[in-house]
Amino acid sequence: MRRPQIVSLAVAVLSAGMVLTACGGGSGKDSASATDGASKSPSATATPGTTDTSSASPADDGGSADPASTADPAKSGSSGGSSQAPDAGKGSGGSTASERCHTAGLSFAIAPGSGAQSVGSAGPVIITMTNHGSRTCTMKGYPGIDLTGAGQTWSLSRQTSVTPHLVTLRPGGRTTFTITYLPYAAGDGRKLDVKTIVITPPNETTSAKVAWEFQPVLLQDGATHPGTYVGPVGDE
């Protein structure tokens, strides 16, 4: 009676061992699968909205980039050229740029109050220049001045102690410059009996003439600092 019980017990033990072995094998397979999945996952997660450029290749020197995508729209001439800036510095097309004042567009006159008060005393001759044209013009610098009379011409020196500035003349606008002169007195030296003032505006080659209405001038055309000279335009 005992032998069948021992055999039954042995069979039961053997069956239990087989069940345990099967469970252990399943656990090992699951663990291996989890490990394999971990080894295949990326080491870092990319942040949305960013671009990794560490492995990007530089553009070819041969110009692989599309020229149309890198062209300056202001120079491309596309869309009918509407993006191009208008030409600057031109006096046409409604531009506000002013051109140089020309002799033909100016009128010249001697301003009231001009002239020396007495012989031997220096006096001013103030010349007014008016823009009688239809457009605004500008000038800067010294006019060329020749005093002429009795077959003589004296080109005056400039008053360099005064700095010229840009003068803008609208239509009908005016500006002035001053001729400072030293009248002739008997025994002082040579006399220039002036009849005409020849005026050449700054940067012009065409001259205008105004009659001289004052005393003769002491001619000092060889002096280093003559008493007769001309100042810049816009010195009023």
Side-chain angles (χ1 to χ4, degrees):
M1 294 299 291
R2 293 182 180 178
R3 186 172 182 177
Q5 291 179 356
I6 294 173
V7 172
S8 299
L9 181 60
V11 172
V13 171
L14 179 60
S15 298
M18 291 177 65
V19 172
L20 290 176
T21 301
C23 293
S27 298
K29 185 176 181 179
D30 293 342
S31 299
S33 298
T35 304
D36 292 343
S39 63
K40 294 179 182 179
S41 63
S43 57
T45 303
T47 303
T50 63
T51 302
D52 183 8
T53 59
S54 61
S55 60
S57 300
D60 294 338
D61 293 339
S64 60
D66 183 4
S69 65
T70 57
D72 185 351
K75 298 179 181 178
S76 63
S78 60
S79 303
S82 61
S83 62
Q84 294 182 359
D87 292 339
K90 291 187 177 181
S92 60
S95 172
T96 58
S98 301
E99 63 179 15
R100 186 178 77 248
C101 294
H102 298 290
T103 306
L106 299 170
S107 59
F108 304 81
I110 295 176
S114 296
Q117 299 300 311
S118 61
V119 174
S121 299
V125 175
I126 302 171
I127 305 294
T128 299
M129 297 184 292
T130 303
N131 178 11
H132 62 73
S134 60
R135 301 181 63 181
T136 298
C137 66
T138 61
M139 68 175 78
K140 181 180 180 180
Y142 296 83
I145 299 296
D146 292 335
L147 301 182
T148 65
Q152 294 178 297
T153 298
W154 183 14
S155 297
L156 299 189
S157 301
R158 298 172 176 177
Q159 184 184 12
T160 56
S161 59
V162 179
T163 302
H165 62 274
L166 184 68
V167 174
T168 300
L169 295 181
R170 295 183 178 182
R174 68 175 183 85
T175 188
T176 65
F177 66 88
T178 301
I179 299 171
T180 300
Y181 76 98
L182 186 61
Y184 169 79
D188 285 347
R190 295 182 296 155
K191 179 178 70 171
L192 176 60
D193 190 8
V194 181
K195 301 298 182 181
T196 306
I197 310 170
V198 181
I199 304 168
T200 307
N203 301 307
E204 285 288 288
T205 57
T206 304
S207 301
K209 295 181 179 180
V210 176
W212 180 268
E213 304 171 352
F214 312 99
Q215 305 101 313
V217 175
L218 179 63
L219 182 59
Q220 297 176 305
D221 53 352
T224 304
H225 299 288
T228 302
Y229 50 85
V230 61
V233 296
D235 62 351
E236 67 262 70

